[in-house]
Amino acid sequence: MFGKGIPVKQAGQFKRHRGKYYNPAYPEVRKLVADGAKEIVEHYDVDGIQFDDYFYPSEDPAFDEAAYNAYVESVSTGGKPLSLLEWRRANVNAMVSLTYSEIKGVNPDVQFGISPQANVSNDLKMGADVEAWCSVRGYVDYICPQLYVNFENPVLPYDVAAEQWREMTTASNVKLYFGLAVYKAGSDADEGTWKKADNILAQQVSLGRQVECDGFMFYSWEYLNHDQTKEEVENVMKQFAG
């Protein structure tokens, strides 16, 4: 969970990493993020809080070299340290778990979820341990992968991604929602494949129901009432009504 605010401590300043980032390697950063979610639940009547899909902004080992080296040194006499990628995932997991517990401590009914990108391999590389979040209690109430691809995507077709996330979400208390790209409907995105039909989203809803996902989230709301997406949205509504 990175954003402007706290500099990466002694991580090296790379031109491609201009700006400031929250580094979950540090307990005070994890607490800051969790406290922010807790404050929202304490003071506002919200139904839920959702984290978006970006965590570590780089796979470059130099990005957080100082923090990782300090960790390795701290465990060098007591066992084998985690690899850099395992350590990053553990840092993010600690932050996610703390956020979950802080939210539930205020109001157990408020839902906490994460919307990672659809490609599981990419998620894991950026420190997002989606496999754990989907299968172990205490991280999230729901997971909403951003399945912003259609059936013709050459890297990760929608049906393949949908099945993968359904199989991976095994924790009984974790809901699985599919994030659908209404903003791509009727556009030239993905080499024009969204223009080949006006019922792609409807087909995606149909498949989602077949694999028994728990619902859908459409990104983004302004495209639900837009000339570009009119036919697609109408066909989705027919699907829901059928």
Side-chain angles (χ1 to χ4, degrees):
M1 191 72 178
F2 289 83
K4 294 181 179 179
I6 295 178
V8 176
K9 300 180 180 179
Q10 301 175 351
Q13 297 299 315
F14 302 102
K15 290 183 179 180
R16 61 184 178 278
H17 299 312
R18 290 185 185 278
K20 298 179 181 180
Y21 301 85
Y22 294 106
N23 187 341
Y26 301 101
E28 62 267 30
V29 169
R30 300 195 291 267
K31 185 177 186 301
L32 177 68
V33 174
D35 284 350
K38 178 181 178 182
E39 181 179 358
I40 292 172
V41 177
E42 286 177 330
H43 296 288
Y44 300 93
D45 184 20
V46 297
D47 294 316
I49 290 178
Q50 178 170 297
F51 284 176
D52 210 358
D53 59 326
Y54 293 101
F55 292 88
Y56 277 88
S58 172
E59 295 178 42
D60 192 336
F63 184 76
D64 51 355
E65 183 177 22
Y68 181 65
N69 287 343
Y71 155 73
V72 171
E73 184 176 351
S74 72
V75 300
S76 59
T77 59
K80 182 180 179 181
L82 299 173
S83 69
L84 174 62
L85 187 52
E86 291 171 332
W87 175 77
R88 286 179 171 178
R89 291 175 192 164
N91 293 336
V92 174
N93 280 349
M95 183 185 67
V96 170
S97 177
L98 180 60
T99 303
Y100 178 89
S101 63
E102 291 291 350
I103 290 172
K104 297 303 179 182
V106 177
N107 186 345
D109 293 330
V110 171
Q111 298 293 286
F112 175 51
I114 297 178
S115 181
Q117 61 174 279
N119 191 309
V120 174
S121 176
N122 288 346
D123 287 323
L124 296 173
K125 289 177 183 177
M126 67 170 60
D129 193 358
V130 292
E131 294 173 332
W133 303 343
C134 289
S135 60
V136 180
R137 295 176 63 93
Y139 287 116
V140 296
D141 294 300
Y142 70 85
I143 196 85
C144 180
Q146 298 175 6
L147 304 186
Y148 297 166
V149 294
N150 61 30
F151 295 91
E152 295 186 37
N153 188 282
V155 177
L156 188 66
Y158 174 82
D159 51 340
V160 174
E163 290 283 357
Q164 181 181 22
W165 282 91
R166 177 66 278 174
E167 292 175 4
M168 195 167 61
T169 307
T170 58
S172 60
N173 67 317
V174 176
K175 299 291 186 181
L176 173 64
Y177 303 121
F178 286 169
L180 303 184
V182 65
Y183 74 97
K184 286 186 176 181
S187 76
D188 291 325
D190 302 333
E191 300 182 351
T193 52
W194 288 87
K195 284 192 170 184
K196 291 185 176 182
D198 61 8
N199 66 340
I200 296 172
L201 292 175
Q203 293 180 53
Q204 292 183 337
V205 169
S206 178
L207 180 63
R209 286 174 163 176
Q210 290 177 35
V211 302
E212 299 183 342
C213 76
D214 296 292
F216 306 90
M217 296 187 187
F218 293 88
Y219 181 80
S220 62
W221 70 270
E222 64 262 33
Y223 281 93
L224 293 173
N225 184 21
H226 196 286
D227 289 342
Q228 172 192 310
T229 61
K230 182 179 179 180
E231 289 80 10
E232 283 273 11
V233 172
E234 287 178 351
N235 286 324
V236 167
M237 297 310 295
K238 292 176 184 177
Q239 181 71 35
F240 283 142

